[in-house]
Coordinates of all heavy atoms in Angstrom, one line a residue:
L17 N -70.7 -43.2 -36.2 CA -70.1 -43.7 -37.4 C -71.1 -44.4 -38.3 O -71.8 -45.3 -37.8 CB -69.0 -44.6 -37.1 CG -68.2 -45.3 -38.2 CD1 -67.5 -44.2 -39.0 CD2 -67.2 -46.2 -37.7
D18 N -71.4 -43.9 -39.5 CA -72.4 -44.4 -40.4 C -71.7 -45.6 -41.2 O -70.8 -45.3 -42.0 CB -72.9 -43.4 -41.3 CG -74.0 -43.9 -42.2 OD1 -74.5 -45.0 -41.9 OD2 -74.5 -43.2 -43.1
T19 N -72.1 -46.8 -41.0 CA -71.5 -47.9 -41.6 C -72.5 -48.7 -42.5 O -72.3 -49.9 -42.8 CB -70.9 -48.9 -40.6 OG1 -72.0 -49.3 -39.7 CG2 -69.8 -48.3 -39.8
D20 N -73.6 -48.0 -42.9 CA -74.7 -48.7 -43.6 C -74.1 -49.4 -44.9 O -74.5 -50.5 -45.2 CB -75.8 -47.8 -44.0 CG -76.6 -47.3 -42.8 OD1 -76.4 -48.0 -41.7 OD2 -77.3 -46.3 -42.9
G21 N -73.2 -48.7 -45.6 CA -72.8 -49.3 -46.9 C -71.9 -50.5 -46.8 O -71.7 -51.2 -47.8
I22 N -71.4 -50.8 -45.6 CA -70.5 -52.0 -45.4 C -71.2 -53.3 -45.8 O -70.6 -54.2 -46.3 CB -69.9 -52.0 -44.0 CG1 -68.8 -53.0 -43.9 CG2 -71.0 -52.4 -43.0 CD1 -67.5 -52.5 -44.3
W23 N -72.5 -53.3 -45.6 CA -73.2 -54.6 -45.9 C -73.4 -54.8 -47.4 O -73.8 -55.9 -47.8 CB -74.6 -54.5 -45.2 CG -74.4 -54.3 -43.7 CD1 -74.9 -53.2 -43.0 CD2 -73.6 -55.1 -42.8 NE1 -74.4 -53.3 -41.7 CE2 -73.7 -54.4 -41.5 CE3 -72.9 -56.3 -42.9 CZ2 -73.0 -54.9 -40.4 CZ3 -72.3 -56.7 -41.7 CH2 -72.3 -56.1 -40.6
C24 N -73.2 -53.8 -48.2 CA -73.3 -54.0 -49.7 C -72.3 -54.8 -50.3 O -72.4 -55.4 -51.3 CB -73.3 -52.6 -50.4 SG -74.6 -51.5 -49.9
I25 N -71.1 -55.0 -49.5 CA -70.0 -55.8 -50.1 C -70.2 -57.3 -49.9 O -69.4 -58.1 -50.4 CB -68.7 -55.3 -49.5 CG1 -68.6 -55.6 -48.0 CG2 -68.5 -53.9 -49.8 CD1 -67.2 -55.3 -47.4
L26 N -71.1 -57.8 -49.2 CA -71.3 -59.2 -48.9 C -72.2 -59.8 -49.9 O -73.3 -59.3 -50.1 CB -71.9 -59.4 -47.5 CG -71.0 -58.9 -46.3 CD1 -71.7 -59.1 -45.0 CD2 -69.6 -59.6 -46.3
P27 N -71.8 -60.9 -50.5 CA -72.7 -61.6 -51.5 C -73.9 -62.2 -50.7 O -73.8 -62.5 -49.5 CB -71.8 -62.6 -52.1 CG -70.7 -62.8 -51.1 CD -70.5 -61.6 -50.4
N28 N -75.0 -62.5 -51.4 CA -76.2 -63.0 -50.9 C -75.9 -64.4 -50.3 O -76.5 -64.8 -49.3 CB -77.3 -63.2 -51.9 CG -78.6 -63.5 -51.3 OD1 -78.9 -63.1 -50.2 ND2 -79.4 -64.2 -52.1
S29 N -74.9 -65.2 -50.8 CA -74.7 -66.5 -50.4 C -73.7 -66.5 -49.1 O -73.4 -67.6 -48.6 CB -74.0 -67.3 -51.5 OG -72.8 -66.7 -51.9
F30 N -73.3 -65.4 -48.6 CA -72.4 -65.3 -47.5 C -73.2 -65.8 -46.2 O -74.3 -65.4 -46.0 CB -72.0 -63.9 -47.2 CG -70.9 -63.7 -46.2 CD1 -69.6 -63.9 -46.6 CD2 -71.2 -63.5 -44.9 CE1 -68.6 -63.9 -45.7 CE2 -70.2 -63.4 -43.9 CZ -68.9 -63.6 -44.3
P31 N -72.5 -66.7 -45.5 CA -73.2 -67.3 -44.3 C -73.2 -66.2 -43.1 O -72.3 -66.1 -42.4 CB -72.3 -68.5 -43.9 CG -71.0 -68.2 -44.4 CD -71.2 -67.3 -45.7
D32 N -74.3 -65.5 -43.1 CA -74.3 -64.4 -42.1 C -74.9 -64.6 -40.8 O -74.5 -64.0 -39.8 CB -75.0 -63.2 -42.8 CG -76.4 -63.5 -43.1 OD1 -76.8 -64.6 -43.2 OD2 -77.2 -62.5 -43.3
V33 N -75.8 -65.6 -40.6 CA -76.3 -65.9 -39.3 C -76.2 -67.3 -38.9 O -76.4 -68.2 -39.7 CB -77.8 -65.5 -39.3 CG1 -78.5 -65.9 -37.9 CG2 -78.0 -64.0 -39.6
Y34 N -75.7 -67.6 -37.7 CA -75.5 -68.9 -37.2 C -76.4 -69.0 -35.9 O -76.4 -68.0 -35.1 CB -74.1 -69.2 -36.8 CG -73.2 -69.3 -38.1 CD1 -72.5 -68.3 -38.5 CD2 -73.0 -70.6 -38.7 CE1 -71.7 -68.4 -39.6 CE2 -72.2 -70.7 -39.8 CZ -71.5 -69.6 -40.3 OH -70.7 -69.7 -41.4
T35 N -77.0 -70.1 -35.7 CA -77.8 -70.4 -34.5 C -77.2 -71.6 -33.8 O -77.1 -72.7 -34.4 CB -79.3 -70.5 -34.8 OG1 -79.8 -69.4 -35.5 CG2 -80.1 -70.7 -33.5
F36 N -76.8 -71.4 -32.6 CA -76.3 -72.5 -31.8 C -77.3 -73.0 -30.8 O -78.0 -72.2 -30.1 CB -75.0 -72.1 -31.0 CG -73.9 -71.7 -31.9 CD1 -73.7 -70.3 -32.2 CD2 -73.0 -72.6 -32.4 CE1 -72.7 -70.0 -33.0 CE2 -72.0 -72.2 -33.2 CZ -71.8 -70.9 -33.5
D37 N -77.5 -74.3 -30.8 CA -78.4 -74.9 -29.8 C -77.7 -75.2 -28.5 O -76.6 -75.8 -28.5 CB -79.0 -76.2 -30.3 CG -79.9 -76.0 -31.5 OD1 -80.6 -75.0 -31.6 OD2 -79.9 -76.9 -32.4
M38 N -78.2 -74.7 -27.4 CA -77.5 -74.7 -26.1 C -77.9 -76.0 -25.4 O -79.0 -76.6 -25.6 CB -77.8 -73.5 -25.3 CG -77.5 -72.2 -26.0 SD -75.9 -72.0 -26.6 CE -75.0 -71.6 -25.1
A39 N -77.1 -76.4 -24.4 CA -77.3 -77.6 -23.7 C -78.6 -77.5 -22.8 O -79.3 -78.5 -22.6 CB -76.2 -78.0 -22.8
D40 N -79.0 -76.3 -22.4 CA -80.2 -76.1 -21.6 C -81.4 -76.0 -22.4 O -82.5 -75.7 -21.9 CB -80.0 -74.9 -20.7 CG -79.9 -73.6 -21.5 OD1 -80.0 -73.6 -22.8 OD2 -79.7 -72.5 -20.9
G41 N -81.4 -76.2 -23.7 CA -82.5 -76.1 -24.6 C -82.7 -74.8 -25.3 O -83.5 -74.7 -26.2
G42 N -82.0 -73.8 -24.9 CA -82.1 -72.5 -25.5 C -81.3 -72.4 -26.7 O -80.7 -73.4 -27.2
S43 N -81.2 -71.3 -27.3 CA -80.4 -71.1 -28.5 C -79.7 -69.7 -28.5 O -80.1 -68.8 -27.8 CB -81.3 -71.2 -29.8 OG -82.2 -70.1 -29.8
L44 N -78.6 -69.7 -29.2 CA -77.8 -68.4 -29.3 C -77.7 -68.0 -30.7 O -77.2 -68.8 -31.5 CB -76.4 -68.6 -28.6 CG -75.5 -67.5 -28.8 CD1 -75.9 -66.3 -28.0 CD2 -74.1 -67.9 -28.3
R45 N -78.2 -66.9 -31.1 CA -78.1 -66.4 -32.5 C -76.8 -65.5 -32.6 O -76.6 -64.6 -31.8 CB -79.3 -65.6 -32.8 CG -79.3 -65.0 -34.2 CD -80.5 -64.1 -34.4 NE -80.3 -63.2 -35.5 CZ -81.1 -63.2 -36.6 NH1 -82.2 -64.0 -36.6 NH2 -80.9 -62.4 -37.6
L46 N -76.0 -65.8 -33.7 CA -74.7 -65.1 -33.9 C -74.8 -64.5 -35.3 O -74.9 -65.2 -36.2 CB -73.6 -66.1 -33.7 CG -72.2 -65.5 -34.0 CD1 -71.7 -64.7 -32.8 CD2 -71.2 -66.6 -34.3
E47 N -74.6 -63.2 -35.4 CA -74.5 -62.5 -36.7 C -73.1 -62.4 -37.0 O -72.4 -61.5 -36.5 CB -75.2 -61.2 -36.6 CG -76.7 -61.3 -36.4 CD -77.4 -59.9 -36.2 OE1 -76.7 -58.9 -36.1 OE2 -78.6 -59.9 -36.3
Y48 N -72.6 -63.3 -37.8 CA -71.2 -63.5 -38.1 C -70.5 -62.2 -38.6 O -69.4 -61.9 -38.0 CB -71.0 -64.6 -39.1 CG -69.5 -64.9 -39.4 CD1 -68.8 -65.6 -38.5 CD2 -68.9 -64.5 -40.6 CE1 -67.5 -65.9 -38.8 CE2 -67.6 -64.8 -40.9 CZ -66.9 -65.5 -40.0 OH -65.6 -65.8 -40.2
P49 N -71.0 -61.5 -39.6 CA -70.3 -60.3 -40.0 C -70.1 -59.2 -38.9 O -69.0 -58.7 -38.8 CB -71.1 -59.7 -41.1 CG -71.9 -60.9 -41.6 CD -72.2 -61.7 -40.4
C50 N -71.2 -59.1 -38.1 CA -71.1 -58.1 -37.0 C -70.1 -58.5 -36.0 O -69.2 -57.7 -35.6 CB -72.5 -58.0 -36.3 SG -73.7 -57.2 -37.3
V51 N -70.1 -59.8 -35.6 CA -69.2 -60.3 -34.6 C -67.7 -60.2 -35.1 O -66.9 -59.7 -34.3 CB -69.5 -61.7 -34.2 CG1 -68.4 -62.4 -33.3 CG2 -70.8 -61.8 -33.5
M52 N -67.5 -60.6 -36.3 CA -66.1 -60.5 -36.8 C -65.6 -59.1 -37.0 O -64.4 -58.7 -36.6 CB -66.0 -61.3 -38.1 CG -66.2 -62.8 -38.0 SD -65.2 -63.5 -36.6 CE -63.6 -63.3 -37.2
L53 N -66.4 -58.2 -37.5 CA -66.0 -56.8 -37.7 C -65.8 -56.1 -36.3 O -64.8 -55.4 -36.1 CB -67.1 -56.0 -38.5 CG -67.1 -56.3 -39.9 CD1 -68.4 -55.7 -40.6 CD2 -65.9 -55.7 -40.6
N54 N -66.7 -56.4 -35.4 CA -66.6 -55.8 -34.0 C -65.3 -56.4 -33.3 O -64.6 -55.6 -32.7 CB -67.8 -56.1 -33.2 CG -69.0 -55.2 -33.6 OD1 -68.8 -54.1 -34.1 ND2 -70.1 -55.7 -33.4
A55 N -65.0 -57.6 -33.5 CA -63.8 -58.2 -32.8 C -62.5 -57.6 -33.5 O -61.6 -57.3 -32.7 CB -63.8 -59.7 -33.0
D56 N -62.5 -57.4 -34.8 CA -61.4 -56.8 -35.5 C -61.2 -55.4 -35.0 O -60.1 -54.9 -34.7 CB -61.5 -56.9 -37.0 CG -60.3 -56.5 -37.7 OD1 -59.2 -57.1 -37.4 OD2 -60.3 -55.7 -38.5
V57 N -62.3 -54.6 -35.0 CA -62.2 -53.2 -34.6 C -61.7 -53.1 -33.2 O -60.9 -52.3 -32.8 CB -63.5 -52.5 -34.8 CG1 -63.5 -51.1 -34.1 CG2 -63.8 -52.3 -36.3
H58 N -62.3 -53.9 -32.3 CA -61.9 -53.9 -30.9 C -60.4 -54.2 -30.7 O -59.7 -53.6 -29.9 CB -62.8 -54.9 -30.1 CG -62.4 -54.9 -28.6 ND1 -62.8 -53.9 -27.8 CD2 -61.8 -55.8 -27.9 CE1 -62.4 -54.2 -26.5 NE2 -61.7 -55.3 -26.6
E59 N -60.0 -55.2 -31.4 CA -58.6 -55.6 -31.3 C -57.6 -54.6 -31.8 O -56.5 -54.4 -31.3 CB -58.3 -57.0 -32.0 CG -56.9 -57.5 -31.9 CD -56.7 -58.8 -32.6 OE1 -57.7 -59.6 -32.7 OE2 -55.6 -59.1 -32.9
H60 N -57.9 -54.0 -32.9 CA -57.0 -53.1 -33.6 C -57.2 -51.6 -33.4 O -56.3 -50.8 -33.7 CB -57.0 -53.4 -35.1 CG -56.4 -54.7 -35.5 ND1 -57.3 -55.8 -35.8 CD2 -55.2 -55.2 -35.5 CE1 -56.5 -56.8 -36.0 NE2 -55.2 -56.5 -35.8
F61 N -58.4 -51.2 -33.0 CA -58.7 -49.8 -32.9 C -59.2 -49.3 -31.5 O -59.7 -48.2 -31.4 CB -59.6 -49.4 -34.0 CG -59.1 -49.7 -35.3 CD1 -59.5 -50.8 -36.1 CD2 -58.1 -48.9 -35.9 CE1 -59.0 -51.1 -37.3 CE2 -57.6 -49.2 -37.2 CZ -58.1 -50.2 -37.9
T62 N -59.0 -50.1 -30.5 CA -59.4 -49.6 -29.2 C -58.4 -48.6 -28.7 O -57.2 -48.8 -28.9 CB -59.4 -50.8 -28.2 OG1 -60.5 -51.7 -28.6 CG2 -59.7 -50.4 -26.8
N63 N -58.9 -47.5 -28.1 CA -58.0 -46.5 -27.6 C -57.7 -46.8 -26.1 O -58.5 -46.7 -25.3 CB -58.8 -45.1 -27.6 CG -57.9 -44.0 -27.1 OD1 -56.8 -44.2 -26.7 ND2 -58.5 -42.8 -27.1
H64 N -56.4 -47.3 -25.9 CA -56.0 -47.7 -24.6 C -55.4 -46.5 -23.8 O -54.9 -46.7 -22.7 CB -54.9 -48.7 -24.8 CG -55.4 -50.0 -25.4 ND1 -56.2 -50.9 -24.8 CD2 -55.1 -50.5 -26.7 CE1 -56.5 -51.9 -25.6 NE2 -55.9 -51.6 -26.8
Q65 N -55.6 -45.3 -24.3 CA -55.1 -44.1 -23.7 C -56.3 -43.1 -23.4 O -56.0 -41.9 -23.2 CB -54.0 -43.4 -24.5 CG -52.8 -44.3 -24.7 CD -51.8 -43.6 -25.6 OE1 -51.7 -42.4 -25.7 NE2 -51.0 -44.4 -26.3
Y66 N -57.5 -43.6 -23.4 CA -58.6 -42.8 -23.1 C -58.6 -42.3 -21.7 O -58.4 -43.1 -20.8 CB -59.9 -43.6 -23.4 CG -61.1 -42.7 -23.5 CD1 -61.5 -42.2 -24.7 CD2 -61.9 -42.5 -22.4 CE1 -62.6 -41.4 -24.8 CE2 -63.1 -41.7 -22.5 CZ -63.4 -41.2 -23.7 OH -64.5 -40.4 -23.9
Q67 N -58.8 -41.0 -21.5 CA -58.7 -40.4 -20.2 C -60.0 -39.8 -19.7 O -60.6 -39.0 -20.6 CB -57.5 -39.5 -20.1 CG -56.2 -40.1 -20.3 CD -55.0 -39.2 -20.0 OE1 -55.2 -38.0 -20.0 NE2 -53.9 -39.8 -19.8
T68 N -60.4 -39.9 -18.5 CA -61.5 -39.3 -17.9 C -61.1 -38.5 -16.7 O -60.3 -39.0 -15.8 CB -62.6 -40.4 -17.5 OG1 -62.9 -41.1 -18.6 CG2 -63.8 -39.7 -16.9
L69 N -61.5 -37.3 -16.6 CA -61.2 -36.4 -15.4 C -61.9 -36.9 -14.2 O -63.2 -36.9 -14.3 CB -61.5 -35.0 -15.8 CG -61.2 -33.9 -14.7 CD1 -59.7 -33.9 -14.4 CD2 -61.7 -32.6 -15.1
V70 N -61.2 -37.3 -13.2 CA -61.9 -37.8 -12.0 C -61.8 -36.9 -10.8 O -62.6 -36.9 -9.9 CB -61.3 -39.2 -11.6 CG1 -61.7 -40.3 -12.6 CG2 -59.8 -39.2 -11.4
D71 N -60.8 -36.0 -10.8 CA -60.7 -35.0 -9.8 C -60.3 -33.6 -10.4 O -59.1 -33.3 -10.6 CB -59.6 -35.4 -8.8 CG -59.6 -34.5 -7.6 OD1 -60.2 -33.4 -7.6 OD2 -58.9 -34.9 -6.6
P72 N -61.3 -32.8 -10.8 CA -61.1 -31.5 -11.4 C -60.2 -30.6 -10.6 O -59.4 -29.8 -11.1 CB -62.5 -30.9 -11.7 CG -63.4 -32.0 -11.5 CD -62.8 -33.0 -10.6
A73 N -60.4 -30.6 -9.3 CA -59.6 -29.7 -8.4 C -58.1 -29.9 -8.5 O -57.3 -29.0 -8.5 CB -60.1 -29.8 -7.0
R74 N -57.8 -31.2 -8.5 CA -56.3 -31.6 -8.6 C -55.8 -31.9 -10.0 O -54.7 -32.2 -10.2 CB -56.0 -32.7 -7.6 CG -56.3 -32.4 -6.2 CD -56.0 -33.4 -5.2 NE -56.3 -34.8 -5.7 CZ -55.9 -35.9 -5.1 NH1 -55.3 -35.8 -4.0 NH2 -56.3 -37.0 -5.6
G75 N -56.7 -31.9 -11.0 CA -56.4 -32.3 -12.3 C -55.9 -33.7 -12.5 O -55.0 -34.0 -13.3
I76 N -56.6 -34.6 -11.8 CA -56.3 -36.0 -11.9 C -57.2 -36.7 -12.9 O -58.4 -36.6 -12.9 CB -56.4 -36.7 -10.5 CG1 -55.3 -36.1 -9.6 CG2 -56.2 -38.2 -10.7 CD1 -55.4 -36.6 -8.2
Y77 N -56.6 -37.5 -13.8 CA -57.3 -38.2 -14.8 C -57.1 -39.7 -14.6 O -56.1 -40.1 -14.1 CB -56.8 -37.9 -16.2 CG -57.1 -36.5 -16.7 CD1 -56.4 -35.4 -16.2 CD2 -58.2 -36.3 -17.5 CE1 -56.7 -34.1 -16.7 CE2 -58.5 -35.0 -18.0 CZ -57.8 -33.9 -17.5 OH -58.2 -32.7 -17.9
E78 N -58.1 -40.5 -15.0 CA -58.0 -41.9 -14.9 C -57.9 -42.4 -16.4 O -58.6 -42.0 -17.2 CB -59.3 -42.5 -14.3 CG -59.3 -44.0 -14.2 CD -60.6 -44.5 -13.5 OE1 -61.6 -44.7 -14.3 OE2 -60.6 -44.6 -12.3
T79 N -56.9 -43.3 -16.7 CA -56.7 -43.8 -18.0 C -57.3 -45.2 -18.1 O -57.1 -46.0 -17.2 CB -55.2 -43.9 -18.3 OG1 -54.6 -42.6 -18.2 CG2 -54.9 -44.4 -19.7
H80 N -58.1 -45.4 -19.1 CA -58.7 -46.7 -19.4 C -58.8 -46.9 -20.9 O -58.6 -46.0 -21.7 CB -60.0 -46.8 -18.7 CG -61.0 -45.8 -19.1 ND1 -61.1 -44.6 -18.6 CD2 -62.0 -45.9 -20.0 CE1 -62.0 -43.9 -19.2 NE2 -62.6 -44.7 -20.0
S81 N -59.2 -48.2 -21.3 CA -59.4 -48.5 -22.7 C -60.9 -48.3 -23.1 O -61.7 -48.6 -22.2 CB -59.0 -50.0 -22.9 OG -57.6 -50.2 -22.7
E82 N -61.1 -47.8 -24.3 CA -62.5 -47.6 -24.7 C -62.5 -47.8 -26.2 O -61.6 -47.3 -27.0 CB -63.0 -46.2 -24.3 CG -64.4 -46.0 -24.7 CD -65.0 -44.8 -24.0 OE1 -64.9 -44.7 -22.8 OE2 -65.7 -44.1 -24.8
C83 N -63.5 -48.4 -26.7 CA -63.8 -48.6 -28.1 C -65.3 -48.3 -28.3 O -66.1 -49.1 -27.7 CB -63.5 -50.0 -28.6 SG -63.8 -50.2 -30.4
S84 N -65.7 -47.3 -29.0 CA -67.1 -46.9 -29.2 C -67.6 -47.2 -30.6 O -68.6 -46.7 -31.0 CB -67.3 -45.5 -28.8 OG -66.5 -44.7 -29.6
I85 N -66.8 -48.0 -31.4 CA -67.2 -48.3 -32.8 C -67.9 -49.6 -32.8 O -67.2 -50.6 -32.4 CB -66.1 -48.2 -33.7 CG1 -65.4 -46.8 -33.7 CG2 -66.5 -48.6 -35.2 CD1 -64.1 -46.7 -34.5
F86 N -69.1 -49.7 -33.2 CA -69.8 -51.0 -33.2 C -70.6 -51.1 -34.5 O -71.3 -50.2 -34.9 CB -70.8 -51.2 -32.0 CG -70.1 -51.1 -30.7 CD1 -70.1 -50.0 -29.9 CD2 -69.5 -52.3 -30.2 CE1 -69.4 -50.0 -28.7 CE2 -68.8 -52.3 -29.0 CZ -68.8 -51.1 -28.2
F87 N -70.5 -52.3 -35.1 CA -71.3 -52.6 -36.3 C -72.5 -53.3 -35.9 O -72.5 -54.2 -35.0 CB -70.5 -53.5 -37.3 CG -69.3 -52.8 -37.8 CD1 -68.0 -52.9 -37.2 CD2 -69.4 -52.1 -39.0 CE1 -66.9 -52.2 -37.7 CE2 -68.3 -51.4 -39.6 CZ -67.1 -51.5 -38.9
E88 N -73.6 -53.1 -36.6 CA -74.9 -53.8 -36.3 C -75.7 -53.7 -37.6 O -75.6 -52.9 -38.4 CB -75.6 -53.2 -35.1 CG -76.0 -51.7 -35.4 CD -76.7 -51.1 -34.2 OE1 -76.8 -51.7 -33.1 OE2 -77.3 -50.0 -34.4
V89 N -76.6 -54.7 -37.6 CA -77.6 -54.7 -38.7 C -78.7 -53.7 -38.3 O -79.2 -53.8 -37.2 CB -78.2 -56.2 -39.0 CG1 -79.3 -56.1 -40.1 CG2 -77.1 -57.1 -39.3
D90 N -79.1 -52.8 -39.2 CA -79.9 -51.7 -38.9 C -81.4 -52.1 -38.8 O -81.9 -53.0 -39.5 CB -79.8 -50.6 -39.9 CG -78.5 -49.9 -39.8 OD1 -77.8 -50.1 -38.8 OD2 -78.2 -49.1 -40.7
G91 N -82.2 -51.4 -38.0 CA -83.6 -51.4 -38.1 C -84.3 -52.4 -37.2 O -83.7 -53.4 -36.8
P92 N -85.6 -52.2 -37.0 CA -86.3 -53.2 -36.2 C -86.5 -54.5 -36.9 O -86.8 -55.6 -36.3 CB -87.7 -52.5 -36.0 CG -87.8 -51.6 -37.2 CD -86.4 -51.1 -37.5
Y93 N -86.3 -54.6 -38.3 CA -86.4 -55.8 -39.0 C -85.1 -56.6 -39.2 O -85.1 -57.6 -39.8 CB -87.0 -55.5 -40.4 CG -88.3 -54.7 -40.3 CD1 -88.4 -53.4 -40.6 CD2 -89.5 -55.3 -39.9 CE1 -89.6 -52.7 -40.5 CE2 -90.6 -54.7 -39.7 CZ -90.7 -53.3 -40.1 OH -91.8 -52.7 -39.9
R94 N -84.1 -56.0 -38.6 CA -82.8 -56.7 -38.5 C -82.3 -56.9 -40.0 O -81.7 -58.0 -40.2 CB -82.7 -57.9 -37.7 CG -83.2 -57.6 -36.3 CD -82.8 -58.6 -35.2 NE -81.4 -58.8 -35.2 CZ -80.4 -58.0 -34.6 NH1 -80.8 -56.9 -34.2 NH2 -79.2 -58.4 -34.5
C95 N -82.5 -56.0 -40.8 CA -82.0 -56.2 -42.2 C -81.9 -54.8 -42.9 O -82.4 -53.8 -42.3 CB -82.9 -57.0 -43.0 SG -84.5 -56.3 -43.4
M96 N -81.3 -54.8 -44.0 CA -81.2 -53.6 -44.8 C -81.8 -53.9 -46.2 O -81.4 -55.0 -46.7 CB -79.8 -53.0 -45.0 CG -79.3 -52.4 -43.7 SD -77.7 -51.7 -44.0 CE -78.1 -50.4 -45.1
V97 N -82.6 -53.1 -46.8 CA -83.1 -53.3 -48.1 C -82.4 -52.4 -49.0 O -82.4 -51.2 -49.0 CB -84.6 -53.0 -48.1 CG1 -85.2 -53.2 -49.6 CG2 -85.4 -53.9 -47.2
L98 N -81.6 -53.0 -50.0 CA -80.8 -52.3 -50.9 C -81.1 -52.8 -52.3 O -81.1 -54.0 -52.5 CB -79.3 -52.5 -50.6 CG -78.8 -52.1 -49.2 CD1 -77.4 -52.6 -49.0 CD2 -78.9 -50.6 -49.1
P99 N -81.3 -51.9 -53.2 CA -81.5 -52.4 -54.6 C -80.2 -53.0 -55.2 O -79.2 -52.4 -55.1 CB -81.9 -51.1 -55.4 CG -81.4 -50.0 -54.5 CD -81.3 -50.5 -53.1
S100 N -80.3 -54.2 -55.7 CA -79.1 -54.8 -56.3 C -79.5 -55.8 -57.3 O -80.7 -56.2 -57.4 CB -78.2 -55.4 -55.2 OG -79.0 -56.4 -54.6
S101 N -78.6 -56.4 -57.9 CA -78.8 -57.5 -58.9 C -79.2 -58.8 -58.2 O -78.8 -59.0 -57.1 CB -77.6 -57.7 -59.7 OG -77.7 -58.8 -60.6
L102 N -80.1 -59.5 -58.8 CA -80.5 -60.8 -58.2 C -79.4 -61.9 -58.4 O -79.4 -62.9 -57.8 CB -81.7 -61.3 -58.9 CG -83.0 -60.4 -58.6 CD1 -84.2 -61.0 -59.4 CD2 -83.3 -60.4 -57.2
E103 N -78.4 -61.6 -59.3 CA -77.3 -62.6 -59.6 C -76.0 -62.0 -59.0 O -75.8 -60.8 -59.2 CB -77.2 -62.8 -61.1 CG -78.5 -63.5 -61.7 CD -78.4 -63.6 -63.2 OE1 -77.2 -64.0 -63.6 OE2 -79.3 -63.4 -63.8
E104 N -75.3 -62.8 -58.4 CA -74.0 -62.4 -57.9 C -73.0 -62.0 -59.0 O -73.1 -62.6 -60.1 CB -73.3 -63.5 -57.0 CG -74.1 -63.7 -55.7 CD -73.3 -64.7 -54.8 OE1 -72.1 -64.7 -54.9 OE2 -74.1 -65.4 -54.1
G105 N -72.2 -61.0 -58.8 CA -71.3 -60.6 -59.8 C -71.8 -59.7 -60.9 O -71.1 -59.5 -61.9
K106 N -73.0 -59.3 -60.8 CA -73.6 -58.5 -61.9 C -74.1 -57.2 -61.3 O -74.5 -57.0 -60.3 CB -74.7 -59.2 -62.6 CG -74.3 -60.4 -63.4 CD -75.4 -61.0 -64.2 CE -74.8 -62.1 -65.0 NZ -75.7 -62.6 -66.0

């Protein structure tokens, strides 16, 4: 699923990355748009009737939930470069 264009809808001032300082001295980086889109897709579009053939001779299938749609920021630079206006709303 090609979702590159989804990032064009967010204004430059949107709070997209949060960093949490952990009690052990480490940190946790959270990309807010990715997390929220992935949580929404997982909640509303997970296929709970996904079936995998486990015994071909007897025709037995195992039913489980699966969601293979994931949003992410592209590239090794963790960003997308898109030509746009420097001012919001223009």
Side-chain angles (χ1 to χ4, degrees):
L17 180 62
D18 183 9
T19 59
D20 291 346
I22 193 81
W23 306 117
C24 297
I25 64 172
L26 298 176
N28 190 35
S29 60
F30 190 85
D32 59 341
V33 177
Y34 291 91
T35 302
F36 296 95
D37 295 326
M38 308 303 281
D40 64 1
S43 63
L44 174 67
R45 178 185 163 121
L46 177 78
E47 294 174 349
Y48 183 77
C50 291
V51 170
M52 294 310 296
L53 286 169
N54 285 330
D56 189 54
V57 167
H58 180 74
E59 182 178 336
H60 293 102
F61 300 103
T62 295
N63 180 359
H64 298 289
Q65 300 176 25
Y66 194 87
Q67 296 187 341
T68 302
L69 182 62
V70 291
D71 188 347
R74 298 186 318 174
I76 296 176
Y77 290 81
E78 180 181 90
T79 303
H80 61 278
S81 298
E82 185 167 310
C83 182
S84 59
I85 301 170
F86 297 100
F87 293 91
E88 62 183 8
V89 177
D90 290 345
Y93 304 107
R94 304 202 54 76
C95 69
M96 289 186 64
V97 179
L98 301 169
S100 64
S101 173
L102 296 176
E103 296 176 39
E104 289 186 34
K106 294 189 177 190

